[in-house]
Amino acid sequence: MEGKGRILTGHRPTGPRHLGHLVGTLENWARLQDDHECFFLIADLHVLTTDYTHPQRIRSSIAEVLMDWLAAGLDPERSTFVLQSAVREHAELALLFSMLITVSRLERNPAYKEQVRELGLTASLGLLSYPVLQVADILVYKADTVPVGEDQLPHVEITREIARRFNSLYGQTFPEPKSLLSHVPRLPGIDGRTMHTSYSNTIPLFASPAEIERAVMSMITDPARIHPTEPGHPEVCTIFAYHQAFNREMTPQIEEDCRRGEMGCVQCKCNLAKLLREQLEPFRRIRQELAACPSYLWDILEEGTARARPIAQTTMEEVREKMGLSK
Ligand code: TRP
């Protein structure tokens, strides 16, 4: 794996992963393990930037994320799983980096502006400096590649700015990491909007056959198509987007049948539900097995964290020295 580049990416532990995470994100991360050294971070400190009043939720959410990651093929034998709060250097490096960026730069961050809009006016200092902590997550391991969704691009840009600033002040220390966007179109949720936990339109990775059935049957198809023999418009249909994600070989045929009015939406939905039931069955099974042995999950996290910590400590020693702090 030497010389192939180091990847760091992660999720905030906010509960079970859904199909939107699988398509485009987790599938991509699993593939990247073949030719990169990967660090997968469970960013529990980041959860506190918006939700610090439910400490009892964090532990169970960490286990949820970990189970879904493993079920999706992230491999603790090949990759390193890190619990952010267990490596104190993340927080320490974030403090030092906070000197190298202005408040106004952080106030211009689109992700921050959106959160503030959503939360009302109760934004904390921690939320404002969310990206600075993320920069520390990435640079404490000197990762050079950060696979993320489009919403996270501003944070990778801030990472590059802080790395540049640090290097120009104190000498070459950090890489300027690049983002790696997956080019798979985003999966719509059951209401047709982007699948997102806060929209309550998700299908969990471990959905039961009955849940899958219910979700698929409630999805919105082409609103202009009243009768199954009328020509449909797959480009506006949620079901078709799922066929594209989970049933790629068949999509040209489905598209043709739909446009010609040869396949009705109900039939098309039934086909999709069956397919999803089959494809998601292994996730459900692996997850059930994992749920039966929680200590295995915590062992993986502890092991990965123990592997990551010395790397973070070495970076921190270098940074402390360069910034004139005591050993
Ligand atoms: N902010 C990321 C998200 O919400 C999670 C995250 C925290 C992250 N630290 C990171 C992602 C470092 C990539 C690299 O999805």
Side-chain angles (χ1 to χ4, degrees), residues 240 247-258:
F240 187 67
N247 194 14
R248 209 158 300 150
E249 296 106 79
M250 290 301 290
T251 46
Q253 186 66 51
I254 294 168
E255 178 164 7
E256 205 183 309
D257 291 350
C258 175

Side-chain angles (χ1 to χ4, degrees), residues 8-12 41 43 46 130 134 137-138 146 148 152:
L8 183 130
T9 189
H11 276 161
R12 282 170 300 147
L41 181 76
H46 274 119
Y130 182 115
Q134 186 162 345
D137 296 338
I138 298 164
V146 188
V148 281
Q152 296 293 311

Side-chain angles (χ1 to χ4, degrees), residues 67 282-294 296-297:
M67 284 191 279
F283 294 110
R284 221 171 120 69
R285 187 169 30 81
I286 296 173
R287 207 180 189 279
Q288 271 168 355
E289 285 166 20
L290 291 169
C293 45
Y296 171 72
L297 296 172

Side-chain angles (χ1 to χ4, degrees), residues 7-236:
I7 280 184
L8 183 130
T9 189
H11 276 161
R12 282 170 300 147
T14 50
R17 304 296 85 186
H18 52 65
L19 295 191
H21 290 123
L22 179 68
V23 173
T25 301
L26 295 177
E27 285 176 341
N28 193 31
W29 294 2
R31 239 187 335 266
L32 287 167
Q33 298 176 114
D34 294 339
D35 48 13
H36 291 81
E37 183 189 13
C38 293
F39 286 72
F40 297 120
L41 181 76
I42 299 206
D44 55 345
L45 291 172
H46 274 119
V47 174
L48 299 181
T49 63
T50 50
D51 185 7
Y52 49 86
T53 53
H54 302 97
Q56 67 286 358
R57 280 190 203 159
I58 292 189
R59 231 182 122 76
S60 61
S61 293
I62 291 171
E64 299 279 3
V65 169
L66 207 50
M67 284 191 279
D68 286 337
W69 280 5
L70 295 171
L74 303 193
D75 177 3
E77 300 275 313
R78 291 188 289 161
S79 300
T80 304
F81 293 68
V82 187
L83 180 59
Q84 185 186 37
S85 66
V87 181
R88 313 270 161 116
E89 283 73 13
H90 289 242
E92 187 183 356
L93 188 56
L95 175 76
L96 297 183
F97 281 164
S98 74
M99 316 301 166
L100 308 184
I101 186 163
T102 63
V103 171
S104 65
R105 173 69 182 91
L106 292 171
E107 283 170 341
R108 269 184 277 128
N109 167 27
Y112 172 74
K113 289 201 278 192
E114 193 188 317
Q115 291 263 25
V116 171
R117 223 180 300 127
E118 263 178 41
L119 298 172
L121 279 177
T122 53
S124 65
L125 177 58
L127 184 67
L128 180 67
S129 64
Y130 182 115
V132 181
L133 179 58
Q134 186 162 345
V135 172
D137 296 338
I138 298 164
L139 294 184
V140 84
Y141 303 109
K142 300 192 178 179
D144 47 43
T145 308
V146 188
V148 281
E150 214 150 339
D151 60 319
Q152 296 293 311
L153 290 181
H155 295 164
V156 181
E157 193 44 45
I158 294 175
T159 308
R160 297 164 58 80
E161 288 171 24
I162 290 186
R164 253 194 315 269
R165 179 117 179 94
F166 190 100
N167 292 343
S168 77
L169 287 169
Y170 309 110
Q172 181 61 39
T173 310
F174 294 111
E176 280 178 43
K178 56 181 188 314
S179 49
L180 191 63
L181 267 186
S182 88
H183 294 287
V184 181
R186 290 194 123 189
L187 197 67
I190 51 183
D191 58 359
R193 293 187 292 172
T194 303
M195 188 177 283
H196 201 289
T197 312
S198 60
Y199 295 162
S200 306
N201 64 355
T202 62
I203 304 177
L205 214 55
F206 62 87
S208 69
E211 275 177 284
I212 294 169
E213 192 87 32
R214 210 175 320 120
V216 171
M217 289 306 170
S218 72
M219 281 180 193
I220 297 158
T221 56
D222 175 3
R225 195 179 187 202
I226 311 291
H227 197 270
T229 56
E230 285 171 3
H233 304 88
E235 65 280 2
V236 299

